[in-house]
Amino acid sequence: MIKDKNIFIKNIYYMLSYAFTTLNQGGYDEIATEEFENIHNLFAAILSKGIGRQLKQGLYREYLNRKEDIAVVRGKIDMPGTIQNKLARKRMLTCEYDELSENNLLNQILKTTVMLLLRHARVDAEYKNELKKEMLFFSNVDTVDPSSVRWTDIRFRRNNSTYRMLISLCQLILEGMLLTTDSGEYKLATFIDGQHMNRLYEKFILEYYIKECPQVTATASQIRWALDDGVGTMLPVMQSDIMLTKDNRVLIIDAKYYAHTTQTQYDVHTIHSGNLYQIFTYVKNKDAEFGDNPHTVSGMLLYAATDEAIQPDSSYQMTGNKISVRTLDLNRDFSEIAEQLNAIVEEHFVTIPAT
């Protein structure tokens, strides 16, 4: 199987499947069995399948405000515009009205993403042909400047919730794979950038534990600062990537997707200092929450493995807490990835009977 950024393409699909649970539902089964030569074909296949399902349900439409000159009253008359028409001897009324339209931001994002994929040389003809057929239903939908989309402002409601996964995937493509040429045009880069892969990596691990390891509670919880006087003005939020909890045992996991799993100085490899300071701070503040009650709080830096010769695999006892540094090899069969993740739970939460 051909690899993209040292990850099997199939495994990126599995990561997406956990991150966006819609892919685990019916209709995407065929994609899971396909062999993809590159990530662009994978994204094109998922979008094609998802848009096809959406077309069967009908494109989302919302009321948009219109203003135009017409011969008969529609909606509300705009007096300044109507007076201007009168002065210009035009027998027209300027009216404002709301029109139910599919030319809204959600559909514009879908069309913009598809048009970029259609122009990309690495997307195979079979996926392009399917996407072209679907775009016939988007003839009344405009494209949008990807850099102008305010993703955090997008809200999903009952009548457009089926768009959630598709829009999230479009965001991954447009933000993570988009480059601007010297002429100001947009094109797709070869790979998703590290920042967006890191977000996908974090979400995949969290959702995997939520679905596959019910014996622990998996959350992305915030950690309170252990303050003597309770005053925390201007302190940053401590937001964990993954927190696994069972009874009085806690494991805080910080997921890291880097090009290099260690930092190097004078040919000496060490753990990224900022990462270690962060996980240590998380663990010690979480540990303080329990007070004198019996408990165990541990931390782990879980790096996505690279093809470097040196990969961190160590555990340290730091003032009563275990801090581990491990790597997760995403370049293996997915069953082996699952074994690696399950082994972490077993190590920290399965009680070994006393002998």
Side-chain angles (χ1 to χ4, degrees):
M1 189 182 299
I2 293 179
K3 295 175 284 185
D4 208 333
K5 199 173 174 64
N6 295 323
I7 303 178
F8 284 140
I9 301 298
K10 181 68 68 69
N11 286 342
I12 293 181
Y13 172 77
Y14 286 128
M15 290 170 71
L16 289 167
S17 295
Y18 281 97
F20 309 125
T21 53
T22 306
L23 290 177
N24 286 318
Q25 299 171 1
Y28 293 91
D29 300 342
E30 296 175 5
I31 295 175
T33 62
E34 288 188 47
E35 298 289 336
F36 293 98
E37 293 294 317
N38 59 66
I39 198 170
H40 305 83
N41 281 336
L42 172 63
F43 287 156
I46 296 174
L47 276 180
S48 174
K49 183 69 69 174
I51 292 173
R53 293 182 66 185
Q54 189 61 53
L55 287 172
K56 291 179 181 178
Q57 299 176 46
L59 290 178
Y60 168 65
R61 297 193 297 167
E62 63 183 34
Y63 282 102
L64 302 177
N65 184 259
R66 306 287 191 200
K67 180 191 283 190
E68 65 176 337
D69 295 335
I70 51 179
V72 295
V73 176
R74 182 177 182 185
K76 184 174 65 175
I77 297 176
D78 178 74
M79 293 307 298
T82 300
I83 292 171
Q84 287 295 325
N85 288 336
K86 188 79 170 175
L87 293 174
R89 299 183 180 277
K90 294 179 182 177
R91 302 182 66 179
M92 303 288 284
L93 299 170
T94 302
C95 296
E96 283 190 57
Y97 59 92
D98 291 331
E99 182 179 57
L100 197 60
S101 171
E102 65 266 25
N103 190 22
N104 53 67
L105 181 59
L106 296 185
N107 290 322
Q108 290 169 0
I109 290 172
L110 290 181
K111 184 172 183 177
T112 300
T113 308
V114 169
M115 297 310 290
L116 283 167
L117 288 172
L118 289 177
R119 291 198 295 269
H120 201 283
R122 296 189 71 190
V123 178
D124 292 346
E126 61 176 300
Y127 304 113
K128 286 184 176 180
N129 291 338
E130 195 61 36
L131 288 170
K132 286 176 183 176
K133 292 176 186 176
E134 293 170 346
M135 285 302 100
L136 295 175
F137 296 91
F138 286 73
S139 57
N140 295 324
V141 177
D142 299 328
T143 55
V144 65
D145 179 355
S147 63
S148 70
V149 178
R150 301 178 63 177
W151 300 97
T152 54
D153 290 346
I154 296 176
R155 296 290 179 267
F156 295 98
R157 302 176 182 83
R158 203 171 187 179
N159 58 347
N160 63 10
S161 60
T162 54
Y163 276 72
R164 187 183 297 273
M165 184 277 292
L166 289 173
I167 297 300
S168 297
L169 185 59
C170 288
Q171 182 181 6
L172 183 68
I173 296 170
L174 294 179
E175 285 193 337
M177 300 179 65
L178 209 57
L179 295 178
T180 309
T181 64
D182 292 337
S183 61
E185 297 177 345
Y186 291 98
K187 65 178 182 179
L188 286 179
T190 303
F191 302 117
I192 305 176
D193 69 9
Q195 181 183 4
H196 291 84
M197 276 304 299
N198 191 72
R199 291 178 190 170
L200 176 60
Y201 179 57
E202 292 172 10
K203 188 164 177 59
F204 153 63
I205 295 173
L206 174 62
E207 295 298 331
Y208 177 86
Y209 281 129
I210 289 173
K211 182 177 180 182
E212 305 296 344
C213 298
Q215 68 271 37
V216 296
T217 300
T219 61
S221 302
Q222 291 185 358
I223 301 163
R224 295 194 303 269
W225 287 94
L227 302 170
D228 294 336
D229 57 5
V231 179
T233 306
M234 295 187 70
L235 287 177
V237 172
M238 287 191 286
Q239 178 66 58
S240 66
D241 294 341
I242 302 103
M243 186 183 295
L244 304 182
T245 306
K246 182 180 181 182
D247 300 326
N248 60 348
R249 284 176 286 180
V250 177
L251 173 62
I252 302 170
I253 299 176
D254 221 5
K256 302 294 183 185
Y257 184 92
Y258 288 171
H260 304 286
T261 53
T262 58
Q263 58 186 17
T264 309
Q265 188 173 21
Y266 305 117
D267 294 326
V268 176
H269 292 262
T270 59
I271 298 163
H272 291 277
S273 55
N275 298 164
L276 190 58
Y277 299 154
Q278 183 182 48
I279 194 67
F280 180 78
T281 303
Y282 285 4
V283 167
K284 299 311 290 186
N285 279 273
K286 185 65 181 179
D287 188 74
E289 289 183 17
F290 286 90
D292 296 329
N293 297 319
H295 65 278
T296 302
V297 178
S298 305
M300 177 179 291
L301 294 173
L302 187 55
Y303 291 93
T306 66
D307 55 4
E308 296 171 301
I310 297 177
Q311 298 291 311
D313 184 10
S314 304
S315 294
Y316 309 93
Q317 286 297 136
M318 297 184 178
T319 59
N321 301 97
K322 180 180 179 180
I323 305 290
S324 305
V325 185
R326 301 286 173 79
T327 56
L328 182 65
D329 192 349
L330 299 172
N331 203 22
R332 302 237 191 128
D333 186 83
F334 191 78
S335 62
E336 296 180 60
I337 295 174
E339 286 179 11
Q340 295 175 72
L341 292 172
N342 293 342
I344 291 172
V345 171
E346 292 175 8
E347 176 187 345
H348 289 84
F349 295 98
V350 175
T351 303
I352 300 175
T355 57

